[in-house]
Amino acid sequence: MLFAVAAGVGVFLAFLGPFGSYGAPLADRLIFWITSVVAGTGLSVLTTLLLPMRWRGPSGPVYVLTATILVTPLQTLVVQLLLPLLAPPQVVAEITFWRQVPNVAVLMLIGTSAAWFFQMRAQSAPAPPEPAAPSQLTPEPAPFFERLPPALGTRLLCLEMEDHYLRVYTDQGNALILLRLRDAVAELRAVPGAQVHKSWWVARAALAGAERGKSGWELILTDGRRVPVGRTYRPALVAQGWLPGGRKGDETGHASEIPEPAENPSAPSQNARISS
């Protein structure tokens, strides 16, 4: 970016023809000024990079002045080498090194100031934001909810299999959709919940308690609904805290509060022998 600007300044000076250079051919002026300005910019950048870092910032004027003093002699040599492009030999012989120093110093003061400005701007530029960690990314909604009527919302209570259909219960009502229960469980793997019976899936947020009924354990949901628990699914539910475990739980037959599990219980394989 900086050297592109320097080349543009060189073109501008070639057409302007300062310091008596307008009498030379345009092609020679272009070579002289573009080469001089780009070389001077490179020397300015190199010098500012070599100077102590502590001179930057508040000491900007000292920084620029020091760089100008250091780089001016080198840039004057570059000008002396390119001067034959602009003037005949007899004129070049009259223009001594020290006669060129003031003119070159003015140009180098502008060049080192630009180099210092671009460096300070690059250092003050805000760092690009770090990519969010996977845990901070917004989870994608489960594809299952695209199958539901919008009026049902997304706060699931439970799912009940009815032949080849599925009855979906939410806090807004229920609806019947054409979908197998095992396919619904696969689509809801990101939603806390578990299959608790060959015909039932329950959302963890809808669980209010558990009681032992006439035919086995039943889960009590927040809307008062009672969902049967299949014996095949009970060990996983006990391990994760959905049901009480051990003899004491069997004898008591009641669990009014279910502690939060450490993680969602995984549903048993569909190929397992199931009995409710």
Side-chain angles (χ1 to χ4, degrees), residues 132-213:
S135 59
Q136 298 174 339
L137 297 177
T138 303
E140 296 183 359
F144 175 82
F145 295 108
E146 299 176 1
R147 303 176 181 273
L148 304 183
L152 278 186
T154 59
R155 298 184 63 179
L156 287 177
L157 299 179
C158 61
L159 309 177
E160 181 184 8
M161 186 172 65
E162 296 183 7
D163 295 327
H164 298 292
Y165 292 85
L166 195 66
R167 178 75 63 179
V168 181
Y169 297 91
T170 72
D171 60 344
Q172 300 298 318
N174 68 86
L176 199 64
I177 63 175
L178 180 60
L179 185 67
R180 295 180 300 181
L181 179 61
R182 65 178 181 181
D183 294 334
V185 171
E187 292 184 2
L188 290 170
R189 58 183 177 275
V191 178
Q195 184 173 354
V196 300
H197 187 275
K198 65 181 180 181
S199 302
W200 288 87
W201 178 94
V202 173
R204 184 64 181 85
L207 183 62
E211 287 184 358
R212 189 171 182 83

Side-chain angles (χ1 to χ4, degrees), residues 217 234 238 243-252:
W217 281 96
R234 183 183 170 194
V238 170
L243 293 174
R247 291 182 174 275
K248 183 176 180 180
D250 291 340
E251 293 170 359
T252 303

Side-chain angles (χ1 to χ4, degrees), residues 6-189:
V9 172
V11 173
F12 173 76
L13 292 175
F15 281 95
L16 186 64
F19 304 113
S21 64
Y22 191 79
L26 178 60
D28 292 342
R29 296 202 309 269
L30 286 170
I31 296 174
F32 176 85
W33 284 112
I34 293 176
T35 304
S36 297
V37 176
V38 171
T41 302
L43 291 172
S44 298
V45 172
L46 179 62
T47 305
T48 54
L49 289 175
L50 294 177
L51 289 176
M53 290 287 294
R54 63 178 181 274
W55 288 8
R56 302 185 187 184
S59 303
V62 176
Y63 199 72
V64 170
L65 183 60
T66 303
T68 301
I69 294 173
L70 293 176
V71 82
T72 295
L74 297 175
Q75 181 63 16
T76 304
L77 291 176
V78 174
V79 172
Q80 287 293 106
L81 293 174
L82 295 173
L83 197 56
L85 293 171
L86 301 180
Q90 61 273 19
V91 176
V92 173
E94 296 177 0
I95 302 176
T96 63
F97 176 87
W98 297 108
R99 183 178 174 182
Q100 289 291 331
V101 167
N103 295 336
V104 173
V106 172
L107 296 176
M108 296 314 299
L109 181 63
I110 298 174
T112 52
S113 299
W116 173 80
F117 172 78
F118 274 93
Q119 290 181 28
M120 294 302 298
R121 183 179 179 183
Q123 292 177 3
S124 61
E130 296 182 359
S135 59
Q136 298 174 339
L137 297 177
T138 303
E140 296 183 359
F144 175 82
F145 295 108
E146 299 176 1
R147 303 176 181 273
L148 304 183
L152 278 186
T154 59
R155 298 184 63 179
L156 287 177
L157 299 179
C158 61
L159 309 177
E160 181 184 8
M161 186 172 65
E162 296 183 7
D163 295 327
H164 298 292
Y165 292 85
L166 195 66
R167 178 75 63 179
V168 181
Y169 297 91
T170 72
D171 60 344
Q172 300 298 318
N174 68 86
L176 199 64
I177 63 175
L178 180 60
L179 185 67
R180 295 180 300 181
L181 179 61
R182 65 178 181 181
D183 294 334
V185 171
E187 292 184 2
L188 290 170
R189 58 183 177 275

